[in-house]
Amino acid sequence: MGLSGNAVVAGVMGWPVGHSLSPRLHGFWLARYGIDGAYVPLPVAPDNVAQAIAALPKLGFAGANVTVPHKQAALEAVDRVDGTAGRIGAVNTIIVEADGTLSGGNTDGYGFMENLAAGAEDWRADAGPAVVLGAGGAARAIVVALLDAGAPEVRVVNRTVSKAEGLAADIGGAIRAAPLTEAAAALADAGLLVNTTTLGMQGHGELDIDLTPLPPAALVTDIVYTPLRTDLLNAAAARGNATVDGLGMLLHQARPGFAAWFGREPEVTPELRDHVLAQLEG
Ligand code: ATR
């Protein structure tokens, strides 16, 4: 449908933002639900991010998503931050409140957990230790979500072990940091293995990890979704582990923002997945 003068507007701020799948994802929901609204890409250079965020209420925006490299800057630029975003140290969803102030949240960990709930119904976070490969921004959101869901221990395994130790110190709780060279030992008795590094992504290096010690009942997931079936997921599936691909995390993290801005709880469906995949493949 066409936009009226009353259309609700939101968008995604990033630099660059051209690769973002969010406009296509939110656009699908807007069309599906016949909402008078728009979700637009907002290419904002790092020097301008504070001003751009402050301008959202002045421009009448309902809010915005914030993506790489602005998630930390957004934490500083909003008026209030929810507890989860504060612990992660990054904001990915901004809501313009009725009084024009800005609330910041982080839905990445929520999206991660919802994706596992949808893709692996029998898996429970409290069933065993989780192994998280990588210690960047995505890892922070996932570690916080796993601890909140009751994981008894999260083993953060990273090439640069000091970064894993910093993450553990910042977040607190039952986190153990280990170097990538000790990945195999960390896998023993694990209930979940997550790759949050860029390894395995098209154009990046290969993730070279020996899965032999991983229990057959462990769930394996990857936040890389280009390709959708990474070598890690293929290797895990070949030895009988359940696997969940990473695209669903992106789809599910978008739900709370859409609901807040456009007033309708959106659904993650196979049609949505296909629609977003068409951009990835196109
Ligand atoms: P994001 O914020 O999206 O998670 P990031 O901060 O760039 O991304 O983190 C990338 C992760 O992939 C890091 O854990 C990084 O390890 P280092 O902290 O040691 O840099 C990991 N990574 C990237 N390339 C890697 C490689 N060639 N070998 C091992 N780990 C790698």
Side-chain angles (χ1 to χ4, degrees), residues 68 71-72 133-140 156-164 180 195-199 201 204-207 223:
V68 179
K71 291 185 185 185
Q72 285 82 19
L133 304 177
R140 283 182 181 253
V156 179
V157 176
N158 198 42
R159 173 179 60 180
T160 313
V161 72
S162 60
K163 229 170 124 186
L180 205 48
N195 175 46
T196 76
T197 75
T198 47
L199 297 175
M201 194 185 293
H204 293 255
E206 284 307 313
L207 177 63
I223 72 161

Side-chain angles (χ1 to χ4, degrees), residues 186-249:
L187 295 180
D189 77 349
L192 175 71
L193 171 63
V194 190
N195 175 46
T196 76
T197 75
T198 47
L199 297 175
M201 194 185 293
Q202 267 155 24
H204 293 255
E206 284 307 313
L207 177 63
D208 185 19
I209 180 171
D210 176 14
L211 295 179
T212 309
L214 187 70
L219 174 63
V220 179
T221 185
D222 202 327
I223 72 161
V224 171
Y225 52 77
T226 52
L228 204 51
R229 299 298 305 176
T230 59
D231 287 349
L232 173 66
L233 295 181
N234 287 332
R239 64 193 292 282
N241 291 95
T243 61
V244 176
D245 72 56
L247 184 62
M249 177 178 171

